[in-house]
Amino acid sequence: MKRPKLRKGSKRLTCHKRYKIQRKVREHKRKLRKEAKKRGNKKPRKDPGVPSAAPFKEEVLREAEQRKQRLEELKQKQKLARQKEFEKKRKLEAKKDATKPKKEPEGKESTVKLKTKSSKQLDKNSAKSFCRELKKVIEASDIVLEVLDARDPLGCRCPQIEQIITKSGEKKKLVLVLNKIDLVPRENLEQWLCYLKNELPAVAFKSSMQLQDRSTEKLTKKRRHKDMSVSNMCFGKECLLKLLRKHCKTQEKAIKVGVIGFPNVGKSSIINSLKEARVCNVGPLRGVTKCMQTVHIDKQIVILDSPSIVVSPSNSTLALALRSLTDVGESRNLLDAVNAVLKHCSKQHVMLCYNIPDFRNSLEFLTLLAQKRGMLKKGGVPDTEGAAKLLLYDLTGAKISYHSRPPMSQNLSSHLTKETVAEMQKGFNSEELEKDNMNTINAVKYPNLASSLLFQFSGMTNGATEETALEEEMSEQDDLETSENENDVANDQESAKEEAAGEEENNIQVDNKTSNQKTKVKDTTLKRQLAGGDPNTLSFNLDKTVDEDDSYDFNIDYA
């Protein structure tokens, strides 16, 4: 016989290999049998049952059922006995715990404290936590740098915080830092420096915009080309560090420098430019810094970054729109904020800045801006909310060049006196400061005065301290509760009125029905009496009630 042909890729097993495989299979089966013997046959044998031809089959089955019932009853009894024993033990343990001295109030206090701490830690975005962190920075620092936007220096000053620093009595120094000087015309910057130096020492500063993390800087050090353009360079750093180091020498110790200011003023960017690395988080959104952060510049200077100052709601709509802690996207009255912005600046400058035709009101301006920037919703509807946010982002960020004029009068602010001004300026050389500021002014490139928007700002922005922030939060909650209660009361009153109206309508319908019934009954009685011809019964039946009229009258013949 011919052997069958093998397929491609298949191999024929030799006799030796086949024998090996068979031996392994035998050994494996032998092992399984040995293990089965050791374990024993644990498989339950099937009950063959009672054969049908067996005598007394019914009695045998009945006995088997009775046996099963007894076993189930025994199991239930045992279960109940176990439960009783467990209950006894639990009662004994409870009695022992009751005899021991109680320490519940201390535990409760500790739990309450832990809960309050956790709630405090969770509410990091609240105004109260921001005020608390700001207070920590002011208390811990020897010099406080109040960062001002050069486009609106007076609007970025907070009289309440300045008053707290000047009246602390711990020889704290307050220094004003004019940031974003590259967005203001040179003449305007010089005017503001002349105005501010009469009250407090002022430093002109321009922070660098593009600073990377140290980790990314190490990786891309060899590859990247270092951008040395004017926008990425920092100006005023040497002047500020020189001022701080001189104060450090006079104090003969390492100093802590606190950096405070309103949101989007450039506090964290100043610290990054002094450290020459991105140590603090920076972004266009407001309230990025939420707690105190320490940054060591060198062995002698430690800088404390703080969250922004909380704006009090008593300020104008423009101040609330530009300096509020909440992000622009969260503000409810966007149209009011844009209205206030357009009122405080010239119309022609805005049209030139955004390249927009003439507009009559703020809503038309927003529609034109949305169409110009391609901000459209479904169906080609212009996104006015997005356009409003864009305008406010441009104003708070570093995109639009605008400026404000300093006050004509050189009088001191209401919260400052001549004594406090002299104390703040003690230890600083004003002439050297002027020279250093002039060097920074000469190095920076400025926009043209004609191309810069002119704003008319009202004055200083009032800030909220920890207590006022608490009161404001409580008042807001009370207002919400009162409004909710008023709404509930109004709804209850409306529902009550509706119910009353419904009841009146039902009563009117019932009265109408009864009156109709009365008239019908009277008409029938009159007809009957007239048919009978009895005058006495006629007068008597007219005075009767409805119930009596419905009753059977024996004097009338109903045939």
Side-chain angles (χ1 to χ4, degrees), residues 272-463:
N272 289 339
S273 50
L274 289 171
K275 186 71 178 173
E276 294 181 353
R278 192 170 178 176
V279 183
C280 304
N281 289 328
V282 181
L285 297 172
R286 302 178 187 189
V288 176
T289 309
K290 292 174 184 176
C291 57
M292 187 174 74
Q293 188 178 353
T294 56
V295 178
H296 292 264
I297 302 294
D298 52 28
K299 290 180 180 179
Q300 296 177 338
I301 299 164
V302 178
I303 290 183
L304 308 174
D305 192 11
S306 69
S308 49
I309 299 164
V310 180
V311 183
S312 72
S314 61
N315 290 297
S316 61
T317 50
L318 182 67
L320 288 168
L322 298 175
R323 308 275 171 250
S324 62
L325 188 65
T326 53
D327 193 23
V328 183
E330 294 174 12
S331 59
R332 294 173 186 175
N333 302 319
L334 280 168
L335 195 65
D336 294 337
V338 173
N339 246 328
V341 167
L342 294 173
K343 279 179 186 176
H344 286 79
C345 63
S346 66
K347 195 177 183 180
Q348 291 175 352
H349 279 292
V350 173
M351 286 159 64
L352 285 165
C353 183
Y354 284 102
N355 196 11
I356 282 170
D358 193 13
F359 53 89
R360 286 171 290 177
N361 52 16
S362 58
L363 191 65
E364 193 177 349
F365 164 74
L366 290 172
T367 52
L368 289 165
L369 183 63
Q371 286 170 357
K372 182 74 179 174
R373 296 292 175 93
M375 301 172 79
L376 302 171
K377 291 181 181 178
K378 281 185 180 180
V381 179
D383 187 9
T384 52
E385 286 184 8
K389 288 173 189 177
L390 188 136
L391 177 72
L392 294 172
Y393 271 127
D394 289 350
L395 289 168
T396 51
K399 286 191 176 181
I400 294 178
S401 171
Y402 63 90
H403 66 280
S404 60
R405 287 171 185 166
M408 298 299 289
S409 62
Q410 288 288 334
N411 296 327
L412 288 169
S413 301
S414 58
H415 65 281
L416 293 171
T417 58
K418 289 181 180 179
E419 293 175 357
T420 53
V421 168
E423 279 180 13
M424 291 296 123
Q425 289 182 348
K426 193 187 277 185
F428 299 117
N429 196 344
S430 58
E431 291 178 2
E432 280 185 8
L433 246 177
E434 281 181 23
K435 284 179 184 178
D436 293 333
N437 283 331
M438 282 305 295
N439 291 331
T440 53
I441 288 164
N442 293 326
V444 180
K445 191 180 178 180
Y446 300 96
N448 194 10
L449 188 67
S451 64
S452 181
L453 284 165
L454 178 65
F455 266 79
Q456 297 170 356
F457 289 103
S458 54
M460 291 188 184
T461 308
N462 293 319

Side-chain angles (χ1 to χ4, degrees), residues 111-126 128-129 132 473:
T111 52
V112 169
K113 283 178 183 177
L114 285 166
K115 283 179 183 176
T116 51
K117 282 180 183 177
S118 63
S119 63
K120 284 176 184 176
Q121 286 173 358
L122 287 169
D123 299 335
K124 281 186 178 179
N125 293 324
S126 63
K128 189 186 169 186
S129 67
R132 196 187 293 116
E473 283 180 358

Side-chain angles (χ1 to χ4, degrees), residues 72-107:
E72 284 176 1
E73 285 173 2
L74 274 168
K75 282 179 182 178
Q76 284 179 356
K77 284 178 182 178
Q78 286 172 358
K79 194 176 180 181
L80 288 167
R82 271 190 245 111
Q83 284 177 357
K84 284 178 182 178
E85 285 178 2
F86 182 73
E87 283 175 3
K88 282 180 182 178
K89 284 180 182 178
R90 194 172 61 189
K91 284 177 182 178
L92 287 166
E93 285 174 359
K95 283 179 182 178
K96 285 178 182 178
D97 292 333
T99 53
K100 286 179 183 179
K102 291 182 181 180
K103 294 182 180 180
E104 287 178 1
E106 290 179 5

